[in-house]
Amino acid sequence: IPDEPPVVERIAVFIPTRFPPGIGFAIPSDTIKAVVKGIISGVEVRRPVIGITFLESQSTMQLSGVKGVLVLDVPRGSPAAKAGIKPTVKTIAGVELGDIVVGINGTPITGEADLLSNIEKFKPGDVIKVTVLRGVGESGGKATFKQMDMQVEVGAAGATNLPKF
């Protein structure tokens, strides 16, 4: 893999959730290089995760008026679920927004690229501080939020038992 300036690859995938399709995400080229090298050498590839599905930052801003990453889903047993991070849920009255991630270990998170690049700095097993805004009501027609720091143990996502090349 040639050494070139970092590039962000954009990938669109269908993820079967209770939310509309069209979720996209970006993978930094440095991450792709590290994963490919690991696969080729036969090393188990484990990427750091906190275990959330999230909404792109532009849509988060439109829905909440807040810069950050809106949590859509938190699978049972994930690091985020164990830490108490709340997902977005449909209710009879409409949609109740989940937590909005606005920081990791004191570093501001304003979008999905910030979130992904900051999580990549850690290893599975590390405990990080994830700062979220949690909706607590409405005042004057605007949503009100409470800032909370959640201790999250970084999990691992990866493939095991890969053939050696």
Side-chain angles (χ1 to χ4, degrees), residues 29 32 69 72 78 83 96 106 111 120 122 125 132 139 161:
S29 62
I32 293 172
V69 177
L72 292 180
S78 70
E96 184 179 307
E120 283 292 323
F122 301 98
V132 300
S139 177
N161 301 322

Side-chain angles (χ1 to χ4, degrees), residues 84-140:
I85 293 177
K86 302 287 184 192
T88 297
V89 294
K90 291 182 185 178
T91 66
I92 293 173
V95 176
E96 184 179 307
L97 296 182
D99 289 340
I100 300 171
V101 178
V102 295
I104 293 183
N105 278 4
T107 301
I109 301 297
T110 59
E112 56 277 3
D114 291 340
L115 178 68
L116 295 172
S117 65
N118 274 281
I119 291 172
E120 283 292 323
K121 295 176 183 175
F122 301 98
K123 295 184 223 110
D126 289 347
V127 176
I128 61 174
K129 178 177 75 171
V130 177
T131 303
V132 300
L133 296 179
R134 181 168 290 171
V136 292
E138 199 174 301
S139 177

Side-chain angles (χ1 to χ4, degrees), residues 28-82:
S29 62
D30 290 345
T31 301
I32 293 172
K33 286 179 187 180
V35 170
V36 169
K37 283 180 183 177
I39 291 171
I40 290 171
S41 66
V43 173
E44 180 181 23
V45 178
R46 296 168 40 112
R47 305 304 318 151
V49 297
I50 60 172
I52 62 171
T53 301
F54 54 86
L55 185 66
E56 66 178 19
S57 54
Q58 183 178 2
S59 297
T60 299
M61 182 67 167
Q62 290 171 345
L63 286 172
S64 67
V66 174
K67 286 185 179 180
V69 177
L70 175 64
V71 177
L72 292 180
D73 194 30
V74 180
R76 279 196 182 119
S78 70
K82 291 174 185 173

Side-chain angles (χ1 to χ4, degrees), residues 9-32:
E9 303 294 333
R10 292 199 164 277
I11 299 173
V13 297
F14 174 73
I15 301 172
T17 69
R18 60 183 181 258
F19 297 96
I23 294 172
F25 61 93
I27 301 173
S29 62
D30 290 345
T31 301
I32 293 172

